[in-house]
Amino acid sequence: SHPILYKANETDFNHLGLGVLADAASCQVVEERNGRFELELKYPIAGKHFHDLQYDRLIKCNAGHLLKNQRFKIIRISKPMKGLVTIDAEHVSYLAQDLSLKPDIPFSGNASVALATWAASMVDEHPFSTFSDILTTGQGKWSLSDTENARKALGGMSGSILDTYGGEYRFDNYHVGLYAQRGNDSGALIAYGRNLTELTQEEAIDSTYTSIYPYSIYTDDDENEITVTLPEYFVDSEHVENFARRKILKVDFSEDEITTVSALRSRAESYITSNNIGVPKVNLKLKFVD
């Protein structure tokens, strides 16, 4: 199917909007596991709808065989090059980046309850709905000072829903689903000499930390603010020897109400394991015959 362009304030997507972008040179959606969800469109400056491509307008297209009719907001338009412009758009679920939560929101229970608490705690009206099939229980609190925006509370900060429950997010427009496992085992085998035509592995260490510097701040009975750190200050991951030098990430565990060095060390070691500290980001690009 071809991408379709809509006005920025459109609410009905059951029509052809401002037009079908059938003359686009390419349209690619990239969705990373619990990461970015973005669209890149290359469009000719001589195209029928070139002048209709404006900031904040929405592009609807399929994002895979399961995620149909996803909407993306235009955030960047490049200068023409070789007769084409590049349009960058982000999934509409990024709206959560523009919204904030009420101050100091506690949550407890399973992941479905935590997501419902998240949706009910935003300071402005919003279109989000939520679901989760993760039944394990957890608890935490999103403080006003540490929670940059509502999307960070979903994942990307210590104490987020993803940090607490694990799982894999599935953003279907404004429906936020957190699943123990998104995919299904089809039993299909992809192998060289059979149906695999190309395999490329890329590793990146620019955002890879080897160690963490944990700390916790609490107030004692005399209303004194106490900062707990480790005597050695930082904890290495088991992969630290794979790098020429340390890269240390400072992590605040104040929300865990840690008051002792031993509890801080235990929490730091758990954080290193659950967040794969010291493991480079690896991308695998495969091409295979369906």
Side-chain angles (χ1 to χ4, degrees), residues 123-190:
V123 298
D124 196 7
E125 294 181 356
H126 64 84
F128 289 104
S129 60
T130 62
F131 169 81
S132 180
D133 62 0
I134 298 176
L135 301 178
T136 55
T137 59
Q139 62 181 5
K141 184 173 74 172
W142 302 306
S143 66
L144 182 62
S145 59
D146 294 332
T147 310
E148 183 180 345
N149 55 58
R151 191 173 178 91
K152 285 290 187 180
L154 291 178
M157 59 172 276
S158 178
S160 68
I161 292 177
L162 186 64
D163 187 42
T164 304
Y165 299 97
E168 300 178 342
Y169 277 114
R170 183 178 188 266
F171 296 99
D172 186 355
N173 290 318
Y174 293 116
H175 182 72
V176 182
L178 181 62
Y179 297 85
Q181 178 179 305
R182 272 183 60 176
N184 297 308
D185 186 354
S186 66
L189 174 66
I190 299 175

Side-chain angles (χ1 to χ4, degrees), residues 67-140:
L67 283 175
K68 304 290 187 181
N69 299 318
Q70 297 301 297
R71 304 190 290 272
F72 298 83
K73 184 179 76 170
I74 296 175
I75 60 169
R76 190 179 303 108
I77 303 174
S78 73
K79 293 182 179 180
M81 181 177 294
K82 297 181 179 180
L84 296 173
V85 293
T86 299
I87 308 296
D88 294 315
E90 59 187 18
H91 193 256
V92 291
S93 62
Y94 279 45
L95 171 64
Q97 288 185 163
D98 302 330
L99 300 174
S100 297
L101 298 181
K102 297 173 184 176
D104 303 324
I105 300 297
F107 64 91
S108 63
N110 60 33
S112 183
V113 173
L115 283 168
T117 302
W118 171 83
S121 301
M122 288 189 230
V123 298
D124 196 7
E125 294 181 356
H126 64 84
F128 289 104
S129 60
T130 62
F131 169 81
S132 180
D133 62 0
I134 298 176
L135 301 178
T136 55
T137 59
Q139 62 181 5

Side-chain angles (χ1 to χ4, degrees), residues 220-237:
D220 66 12
D221 295 337
D222 297 324
E223 300 300 321
N224 297 314
E225 190 175 85
I226 308 296
T227 300
V228 181
T229 62
L230 301 179
E232 65 274 27
Y233 296 111
F234 59 86
V235 180
D236 289 331
S237 81

Side-chain angles (χ1 to χ4, degrees), residues 37-57:
F37 196 0
E38 299 169 356
L39 173 147
E40 182 183 88
L41 177 87
K42 293 187 181 296
Y43 196 81
I45 59 176
K48 180 179 179 181
H49 296 288
F50 173 73
H51 295 289
D52 294 324
L53 292 166
Q54 300 176 16
Y55 296 112
D56 274 353
R57 286 188 170 172

